[in-house]
């Protein structure tokens, strides 16, 4: 090759090198900024995936190198910035590989945990384990298929459980009357009853069930035996008289039976039997003897439940025989401030509400709106109870 050609090649090489360096210098700031953004994003994702990675030495060094790259870039030292960004990227890549390895181990552990939970008959725990396995290995077909099958199985079990609860609810509601949702006027009309029965006011109640009969001694004895509570020696399991007990005992029995005490408003609505008169059968007290044991016909004692006529809801002994505990605390002026929907009584008070009167009371004291009260630990002769249940309870 002659000298002329050598000079041409040398000049071309110098020109190409100059252009490449110029291009490198020209495009380098953009490449640095792109690397900085990618490094910051990937480090944040690594930390989000596993917070413990933040404690890794390489993680701290990668953050340091990336921060230095940003400082060099801001100072216009783009080659230094590029070298620092590449160092951060190498550390970041090593961290991603380490996290991937940890996730593969976690995936295997969760798959084993899910299989064990399935064999143990715990589909909810198995599903949770499969979903965690998918978190560690997104898109894994085996875990996804197993999780989908379990979701279907859990849905079927849930439906079966709801059916079983509905059946249990039907059994529990046997011997109870359904009082449908709606409004009624609570309290006595003007000129009737005592001052604590006023003002008469409109109340809305959700639907509920209430026992058709007062809880008997035989039922209460079974409760005492099951819960090992003390009971009077005279009580026998065959006794169908109403159980005399304090409020605490009545509350405990209803809870044990899967029910609750009725609120005062529920008791009155059920007792009224869709009427607005003094009694469910009208205003004439001469008809009371057909429905109640009270001072005129009781012979000064309680009687077995269900011997008198029921009201329109099929409730027996709603008047007389024994007073019945309500869930509410008593306040003689509560009707002045009572809520219009599902009232539950005042928040405080030393006494609990009694309703319905007893075998020793007169016809005037057996008005459907008549209110009584006693201390919750009072164990009085002539005080019993019946239970209620939310209609929508499952």
């Amino acid at each position: 090759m002659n000298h002329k050609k050598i000079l041409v090649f040398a000049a071309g090489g110098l020109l190409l090198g100059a252009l490449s360096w110029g291009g490198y210098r020209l495009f380098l700031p953009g490449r640095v900024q792109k690397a900085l953004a990618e490094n910051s994003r990937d480090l944040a994702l690594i930390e989000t995936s596993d917070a413990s990675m933040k404690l890794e030495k390489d993680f701290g060094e990668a953050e340091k190198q990336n921060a230095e790259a940003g400082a060099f870039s801001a100072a216009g030292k783009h080659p230094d910035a590029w070298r620092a960004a590449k160092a951060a990227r190498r550390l970041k890549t090593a961290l991603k590989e380490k996290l991937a390895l940890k996730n593969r181990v976690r995936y295997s552990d969760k798959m084993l945990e899910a299989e064990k939970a399935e064999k143990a008959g715990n589909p909810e725990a198995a599903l949770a384990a499969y979903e965690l396995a998918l978190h560690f290995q997104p898109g894994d077909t085996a875990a996804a298929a197993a999780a989908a099958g379990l979701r279907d199985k859990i849905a079927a079990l849930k439906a079966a459980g709801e059916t079983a609860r509905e059946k249990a609810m039907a059994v529990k509601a046997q011997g109870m009357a359904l009082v449908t949702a709606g409004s009624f006027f609570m309290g006595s009309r003007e000129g009737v009853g005592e001052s604590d029965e006023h003002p008469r006011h409109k109340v809305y109640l959700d639907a509920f069930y209430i026992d058709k009969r007062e809880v008997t001694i035989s039922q209460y004895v079974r409760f005492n035996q099951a819960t090992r509570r003390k009971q009077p020696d005279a009580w026998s399991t065959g006794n169908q008289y109403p159980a005399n007990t304090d409020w605490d005992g009545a509350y405990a029995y209803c809870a044990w039976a899967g029910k609750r005490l009725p609120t005062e408003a529920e008791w009155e609505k059920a007792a009224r039997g869709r009427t607005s008169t003094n009694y469910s059968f009208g205003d004439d007290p001469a008809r009371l003897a057909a429905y109640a044991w009270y001072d005129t016909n009781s012979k000064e004692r309680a009687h077995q439940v269900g011997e008198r006529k029921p009201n329109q809801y099929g409730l027996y002994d709603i008047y007389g025989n024994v007073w019945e505990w309500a869930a509410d605390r008593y306040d003689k002026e509560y009707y002045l401030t009572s809520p219009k929907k599902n009232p539950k009584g005042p928040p405080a008070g030393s006494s609990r509400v009694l309703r319905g009167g007893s075998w020793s009371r007169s016809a005037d004291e057996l008005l459907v709106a008549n209110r009584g009260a006693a201390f919750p630990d009072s164990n009085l002769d002539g005080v019993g109870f019946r239970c209620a249940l939310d209609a929508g309870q499952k």
Side-chain angles (χ1 to χ4, degrees):
M1 184 178 293
N2 59 38
H3 293 293
K4 193 173 182 178
K5 287 183 178 180
I6 290 172
L7 289 172
V8 169
F9 275 113
L14 288 171
L15 177 62
L16 183 61
L19 288 172
S20 298
W21 175 249
Y24 172 76
R25 298 281 296 187
L26 179 64
F27 293 108
L28 189 58
R31 295 179 69 184
V32 167
Q33 292 303 315
K34 183 178 179 181
L36 284 170
E38 288 179 352
N39 287 343
S40 297
R41 182 199 63 207
D42 289 347
L43 287 171
L45 287 173
I46 291 169
E47 184 183 1
T48 302
S49 299
D50 186 345
S52 68
M53 296 294 285
K54 181 79 173 177
L55 303 176
E56 293 280 344
K57 182 180 177 182
D58 286 353
F59 194 97
E61 187 61 28
E63 285 192 319
K64 179 182 175 182
Q65 290 287 351
N66 212 44
E68 287 182 357
F72 283 136
S73 178
K77 299 179 180 180
H78 303 303
D80 291 334
W82 179 242
R83 282 191 290 274
K86 287 198 298 181
R89 185 167 59 188
R90 284 193 296 273
L91 291 164
K92 176 194 70 178
T93 301
L95 287 166
K96 289 173 75 173
E97 290 174 355
K98 187 178 290 187
L99 179 61
L101 178 60
K102 287 177 72 174
N103 282 345
R104 284 195 292 274
V105 173
R106 288 166 167 167
Y107 166 81
S108 298
D109 289 344
K110 288 300 169 186
M111 290 294 283
L112 286 172
E113 183 182 319
E115 290 169 9
K116 287 179 181 177
E118 274 199 272
K119 289 178 181 177
N122 191 343
E124 289 86 357
L127 177 59
Y130 279 128
E131 287 175 340
L132 277 173
L134 281 168
H135 173 75
F136 296 130
Q137 294 292 317
D140 181 77
T141 55
L150 277 172
R151 288 190 194 99
D152 292 340
K153 183 177 181 179
I154 289 169
L157 288 170
K158 185 178 179 182
E162 288 175 353
T163 301
R165 283 192 291 273
E166 287 171 1
K167 288 179 179 177
M169 173 69 180
V171 171
K172 195 183 290 183
Q174 286 178 3
M176 302 185 82
L178 174 63
V179 180
T180 56
S183 299
F184 77 106
F185 283 99
M186 185 173 182
S188 288
R189 294 170 291 182
E190 285 299 317
V192 177
E194 303 295 331
S195 61
D196 64 351
E197 300 164 26
H198 298 275
R200 198 175 195 218
H201 55 292
K202 193 174 185 179
V203 171
Y204 173 89
L205 295 179
D206 292 330
F208 63 96
Y209 288 99
I210 190 166
D211 288 344
K212 292 181 179 180
R213 291 173 170 82
E214 293 161 335
V215 173
T216 65
I217 289 175
S218 63
Q219 291 172 313
Y220 200 77
V221 165
R222 287 197 296 274
F223 158 66
N224 284 337
Q225 292 171 341
T227 58
R228 298 183 179 178
R229 290 169 65 100
K230 186 178 179 180
Q231 65 186 28
D233 294 335
W235 285 12
S236 67
T237 55
N239 201 321
Q240 297 305 303
Y241 285 82
N244 292 318
T245 184
D246 58 16
W247 186 91
D248 293 330
Y251 180 92
Y253 174 92
C254 290
W256 172 78
K259 305 177 187 181
R260 58 176 174 79
L261 284 171
T263 65
E264 184 176 18
E266 287 173 338
W267 190 98
E268 183 168 328
K269 184 179 182 184
R272 284 191 173 281
R274 308 184 189 92
T275 69
S276 59
T277 49
N278 291 340
Y279 306 98
S280 62
F281 51 81
D283 291 327
D284 185 4
R287 299 178 59 194
L288 184 60
Y291 295 85
W293 296 113
Y294 62 116
D295 66 352
T296 300
N297 66 351
S298 69
K299 298 181 181 179
E300 299 183 354
R301 63 178 177 84
H303 291 254
Q304 294 195 68
V305 302
E307 292 184 338
R308 302 284 88 182
K309 291 174 64 174
N311 75 354
Q312 292 89 328
Y313 283 119
L315 308 186
Y316 294 88
D317 301 299
I318 201 73
Y319 312 109
N321 213 20
V322 292
W323 287 97
E324 297 179 12
W325 289 110
D328 309 34
R329 291 181 172 86
Y330 174 78
D331 180 350
K332 66 179 181 180
E333 296 182 346
Y334 179 63
Y335 287 5
L336 294 171
T337 58
S338 172
K340 294 180 180 179
K341 184 176 181 180
N342 298 320
K344 299 186 185 304
S350 58
S351 301
R352 295 284 179 172
V353 171
L354 290 170
R355 283 304 202 114
S358 74
W359 53 264
S360 65
R361 302 290 174 152
S362 67
D364 290 341
E365 296 174 287
L366 268 61
L367 300 181
V368 71
N370 182 252
R371 306 175 72 201
F375 293 121
D377 59 354
S378 301
N379 207 333
L380 305 172
D381 183 27
V383 176
F385 66 101
R386 69 181 75 215
C387 303
L389 181 69
D390 294 344
Q393 188 172 325
K394 298 285 178 69

